[in-house]
Amino acid sequence: MIHSNDLICKELVELVTEYLENSLPLGEKAQFEAHLAVCPGCQTYLEQMRQTLHAVGHLTEEPLDPTTRDALLALFRNWQNSV
Ligand SMILES: [Zn+2]
């Protein structure tokens, strides 16, 4: 396992879509939420992702259209660059 104890922001970014889809294993979900509780930046990020995915209207039932996918990728990149 790569995880030592707590999630770091970069790991949270990688898990956020699974978290929003409720597809994280319980242990990882607990780590995710533990990190969220102490990291305002990730709370903001999660909220942005939630709103973005909500705006799209679906999560993974259908492939993302290219515009949406690019917007999500840009979000990821901007966010990671700011860490
Ligand atoms: Zn964080």
Side-chain angles (χ1 to χ4, degrees):
M1 286 292 280
I2 296 170
H3 305 301
S4 51
N5 41 33
D6 294 333
L7 280 180
I8 59 173
C9 296
K10 187 170 178 293
E11 292 171 325
L12 186 141
V13 168
E14 289 166 3
L15 295 175
V16 69
T17 49
E18 287 176 75
Y19 177 76
L20 289 172
E21 291 165 5
N22 260 328
S23 57
L24 277 183
L26 274 183
E28 288 189 51
K29 187 174 181 227
Q31 285 186 305
F32 188 101
E33 289 176 339
H35 179 90
L36 266 187
V38 299
C39 186
C42 284
Q43 290 170 23
T44 302
Y45 178 74
L46 176 67
E47 196 51 39
Q48 285 178 342
M49 285 301 294
R50 196 199 300 277
Q51 287 173 5
T52 302
L53 290 172
H54 182 74
V56 171
H58 54 72
L59 293 175
T60 57
E61 292 302 310
E62 300 163 41
L64 293 176
D65 69 65
T67 307
T68 305
R69 197 190 58 219
D70 288 351
L72 286 172
L73 286 174
L75 250 187
F76 273 120
R77 285 198 205 96
N78 290 339
W79 194 84
Q80 287 183 307
N81 287 341
S82 72
V83 171

